[in-house]
């Protein structure tokens, strides 16, 4: 820090790096001050439409989550989305939408929650299909699917094509993280729904049975 001028473009990058280091050490209050400093500097140097700025805002939001300040976390994730700085295929953009989905869900704003979770899932699925995700990140998409199942009960009832699809996809995710007993339950529910809607000889039923057998 002492070797850089206060208005140096790299100062904001350094503040962000220090914030990430403190976050990793679970020193969240200290990390927050560095993230706040970094976002202001990056906003000044790059503008709000830049990925550098948006990523700093995302990290600030994650710190608010750790500190239990859900309102400021929501506001920060919303700012990151609205900035347009996050690439449309980035996992971080999916995380932002996932958090908004959870925030709206807890506030009983179910339509907004449903929309946010679906946006998050579309991003996560694209990342998975293109090999951009590690097994550890499957927890994010599992959370989205789990909440969508709850929302589907109110929207479409226990027997619907969309619920069957969610059960099937959630089961696939459970397999990826070695939660095989949970996967079995979801495959069985998917098969039950798909059989009632499409008939026992439908391709979707065959796919679910095949995965269940594996």
């Amino acid at each position: 820090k002492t070797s850089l001028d206060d208005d140096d473009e790299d100062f904001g990058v350094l503040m962000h790096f220090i914030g990430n280091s403190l976050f990793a050490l679970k020193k969240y209050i200290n990390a927050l001050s560095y993230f706040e400093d970094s976002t202001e500097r990056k906003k000044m140097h790059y503008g709000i439409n830049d990925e550098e700025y948006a990523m700093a805002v995302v990290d600030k939001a994650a710190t608010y989550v750790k500190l239990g300040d859900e309102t400021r976390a929501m506001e920060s994730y919303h700012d990151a989305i609205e900035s347009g700085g996050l690439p449309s295929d980035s996992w971080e953009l999916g995380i932002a939408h996932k958090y908004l989905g959870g925030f709206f869900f807890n506030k009983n704003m179910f339509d907004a929650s449903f929309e946010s979770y679906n946006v998050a899932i579309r991003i996560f699925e694209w990342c998975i299909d293109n090999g951009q995700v590690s097994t550890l990140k499957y927890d994010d998409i599992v959370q989205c699917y789990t909440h969508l199942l709850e929302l589907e009960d109110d929207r479409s009832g226990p027997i619907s094509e969309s619920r069957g699809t969610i059960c099937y996809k959630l089961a696939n995710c459970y397999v990826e993280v070695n939660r095989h007993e949970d996967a079995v339950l979801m495959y069985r529910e998917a098969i039950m729904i798909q059989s009632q809607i499409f008939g026992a000889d439908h391709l979707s039923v065959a796919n679910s049975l095949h995965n269940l057998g594996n």
Side-chain angles (χ1 to χ4, degrees):
K1 289 170 61 177
T2 57
S3 66
L4 294 171
D5 293 331
D6 190 60
D7 61 350
D8 194 308
E9 179 178 328
D10 290 334
F11 210 109
V13 176
L14 178 60
M15 295 295 99
H16 194 175
F17 178 80
I18 295 173
N20 281 329
S21 298
L22 290 167
F23 186 94
L25 293 170
K26 299 182 180 180
K27 297 182 177 181
Y28 302 123
I29 293 177
N30 294 332
L32 181 61
S33 66
Y34 281 94
F35 288 139
E36 289 177 336
D37 188 304
S38 177
T39 55
E40 290 305 311
R41 293 175 186 276
K42 290 184 176 185
K43 181 179 180 179
M44 178 179 65
H45 286 291
Y46 307 128
I48 66 171
N49 302 120
D50 189 86
E51 185 176 358
E52 282 284 339
Y53 166 78
M55 285 302 299
V57 176
V58 165
D59 288 336
K60 181 173 70 172
T63 307
Y64 279 130
V65 172
K66 292 295 185 181
L67 292 171
D69 192 337
E70 67 172 17
T71 299
R72 288 184 178 175
M74 184 277 293
E75 291 171 348
S76 295
Y77 277 126
H78 181 266
D79 288 345
I81 293 169
E82 291 299 306
S83 75
L86 294 173
S88 60
D89 58 355
S90 72
W91 195 266
E92 289 75 16
L93 182 59
I95 291 291
H97 282 288
K98 186 200 83 166
Y99 187 85
L100 291 187
F103 179 84
F104 293 139
F105 186 89
N106 292 334
K107 298 295 183 182
N108 296 325
M109 300 168 63
F110 297 128
D111 287 341
S113 177
F114 187 83
E115 180 179 351
S116 293
Y117 277 131
N118 272 298
V119 172
I121 282 173
R122 285 197 295 271
I123 296 168
F124 291 152
E125 287 180 342
W126 189 95
C127 293
I128 290 170
D129 290 343
N130 287 274
Q132 296 185 13
V133 59
S134 68
T135 302
L136 292 175
K137 290 185 175 180
Y138 271 89
D139 283 344
D140 293 321
I141 194 167
V142 164
Q143 290 173 30
C144 291
Y145 282 136
T146 301
H147 280 299
L148 279 179
L149 280 180
E150 295 182 54
L151 293 168
E152 273 295 323
D153 281 341
D154 292 329
R155 296 174 67 91
S156 306
I159 305 296
S160 67
E161 181 178 351
S162 56
R163 183 178 178 85
T165 299
I166 293 170
C167 289
Y168 176 78
K169 291 183 175 181
L170 179 55
N172 290 341
C173 290
Y174 281 146
V175 170
E176 293 294 333
V177 295
N178 295 317
R179 293 174 58 178
H180 298 295
E181 291 183 1
D182 292 325
V184 167
L185 293 176
M186 285 297 100
Y187 281 132
R188 285 176 174 169
E189 183 170 351
I191 292 164
M192 181 271 293
I193 294 171
Q194 293 162 346
S195 297
Q196 289 194 41
I197 293 176
F198 303 117
D201 59 348
H202 193 268
L203 178 61
S204 63
V205 178
N207 286 334
S208 295
L209 285 168
H210 174 78
N211 287 358
L212 178 59
N214 288 335

